[in-house]
Amino acid sequence: MSTATLPAGLTEVGTKHLFVETTGTGDDVVLVHGLGGTTSFYEPLVASLAERFRVTRYDFAGHGRSPRDRELSLESLAAELALVIESRTASGRAHLVGHSMGTLIVQQLASTRPDLVQEIVLLGPVREQSQAAKDATRARAALVRAKGMAAVADTIANAATADYAALGNPLVRPFVRELLLGQDPEAYAQACEALAAATNPDLTAIRSKVLLLTGSEDKVSTPASNEAMSAELGSAELLIAPETGHWTVPEAPDFVTAAVVDFLTTTTLKPDMKKTCACSIASPGCQSRRQQTITMQIRKTP
C-alpha cells in the first residue's frame, strides 16, 4: 500500500499502520508501552535519551493512535516489535525499554530474536499471571466491553499509582486516567485477554544486559517478584524506585530517567555486589548520576 493512502499520522510498518515517533541520533532505542499506555507514557524520558540515542516509540496495535488490525496475542505483539526494529531503526538492532505488559513483549522478542536486541530495560516487569490474576484480567475485559473504559479508568489510576507520587504531582493520576480513557474498549479488552493468555518467555535464552526497575509500592510488579526474575535471568541489575507504584515513568520521572540513561550508557557491569547511594545531596566519592536514594544489585554478564 502506498504511503499516500495512509491515514494521517500513521506510519507503514510491514503490513501494519502504526503511530510512530522518532527523535535524536545515535544507537537505536525502542520504547514499548504497556496495557493502557501510549507513546506519551515515555514523554519524561525522551528528551534525555535523545541527547545520546535515536529514540523510537510507537503505539502498539489497537492502543493509542494505532488501529486494531487483528486479534492480539503476545506473539503478534512481539512480531510487531520485530517489524518496528527491522524497518524503523538505522542498524536493525536496538536497545529496548518496556513497561508492564510491554516487558512481556520485550522478553518474548529477546528470547526468540536475540539478533535484534541489545541492552534491555524492564520497567515494572511482569511474568505469566497467576490464575487469580488471569481471571481478574479477563473480568476486566468483559467489563470494558460492556461499559467502556470509564468503568475501569479511575480504579486503575488510583490503585496502580502510589499515594506519595500522587501527592508530589497531582497530575499523575489524571494523566494515567486520560491514557486509559483514550483507549478503544474492544482493543483494550483484547489486550487484556492477550495478557491473561500469555505464558512465560524463556528468560534463560536472553543474553542481553538487563535492568529491572520497579516501584517500592508496585502491587503488580513487586520487589520480591523482581528479585525472582533477576535470579532467573542470572545477569541483571535491580533497582527499586522509592514511594513509587506501577506507572513508574510519570510517578518517578527523574529517578527513572537517570537510571535508564545511566544503564544504557554504561558498557560493562561490575562484579557481583550491592550498594546503596544517596545522591539527592552531593557527597564526596559518590559517582552515581541517579538523583534519589537507590539500592542496586549487580551481576556480571556471562
Side-chain angles (χ1 to χ4, degrees), residues 40-41 149 166 240 270:
S40 295
F41 172 82
M149 293 303 301
I240 308 300
K270 297 178 181 179

Side-chain angles (χ1 to χ4, degrees), residues 14-284:
T15 61
K16 290 176 172 284
H17 297 161
L18 300 176
F19 180 78
V20 181
E21 298 178 280
T22 300
T23 187
T25 58
D27 290 348
D28 284 293
V29 177
V30 175
L31 311 179
V32 188
H33 65 75
L35 178 64
T38 71
T39 61
S40 295
F41 172 82
Y42 285 110
E43 192 64 32
L45 254 177
V46 171
S48 292
L49 279 176
E51 292 176 359
R52 302 164 176 83
F53 300 99
R54 184 175 184 271
V55 182
T56 298
R57 47 184 168 152
Y58 68 102
D59 290 342
F60 68 61
H63 267 51
R65 287 144 288 189
S66 293
R68 174 173 52 92
D69 64 349
R70 66 193 68 181
E71 293 290 320
L72 298 177
S73 68
L74 179 61
E75 290 73 22
S76 74
L77 292 170
E80 179 179 271
L81 173 56
L83 278 175
V84 170
I85 296 170
E86 290 169 336
S87 66
R88 304 303 302 173
T89 65
S91 62
R93 297 186 73 214
H95 305 293
L96 300 181
V97 180
H99 171 246
S100 192
M101 183 178 176
T103 70
L104 269 176
I105 298 169
V106 170
Q107 291 169 53
Q108 177 70 16
L109 185 69
S111 64
T112 57
R113 291 291 310 275
D115 56 303
L116 300 179
V117 180
Q118 293 181 278
E119 280 78 15
I120 295 170
V121 177
L122 303 179
L123 305 174
V126 295
R127 297 286 278 157
E128 179 180 346
Q129 293 186 312
S130 67
Q131 189 57 52
K134 290 176 189 283
D135 293 343
T137 302
R138 292 185 174 115
R140 190 195 312 175
L143 178 60
V144 165
R145 283 195 174 102
K147 297 185 177 181
M149 293 303 301
V152 301
D154 286 328
T155 299
I156 295 171
N158 291 327
T161 55
D163 290 339
Y164 179 89
L167 286 171
N169 182 358
L171 292 177
V172 165
R173 284 173 174 162
F175 172 73
V176 174
R177 180 178 185 271
E178 189 65 21
L179 290 181
L180 292 164
L181 288 174
Q183 303 297 342
D184 172 68
E186 177 58 29
Y188 182 86
Q190 286 190 20
C192 285
E193 290 167 343
L195 175 59
T199 57
N200 280 333
D202 181 8
L203 293 185
T204 63
I206 296 175
R207 293 292 176 259
S208 302
K209 187 170 115 179
V210 180
L211 170 65
L212 306 174
L213 192 160
T214 196
S216 63
E217 309 305 314
D218 193 333
K219 302 177 183 68
V220 177
S221 176
T222 64
S225 69
N226 277 254
E227 287 278 6
M229 277 191 71
S230 178
E232 191 174 347
L233 280 162
S235 172
E237 181 177 339
L238 173 60
L239 298 181
I240 308 300
E243 304 291 350
T244 301
H246 189 58
W247 290 73
T248 45
V249 177
E251 290 187 73
D254 292 342
F255 183 97
V256 174
T257 296
V260 172
V261 170
D262 188 44
F263 178 78
L264 292 180
T265 53
T266 300
T267 57
T268 59
L269 289 177
K270 297 178 181 179
D272 292 7
M273 63 181 293
K274 279 191 177 182
K275 69 179 180 180
T276 299
C277 183
C279 296
S280 55
I281 300 175
S283 57

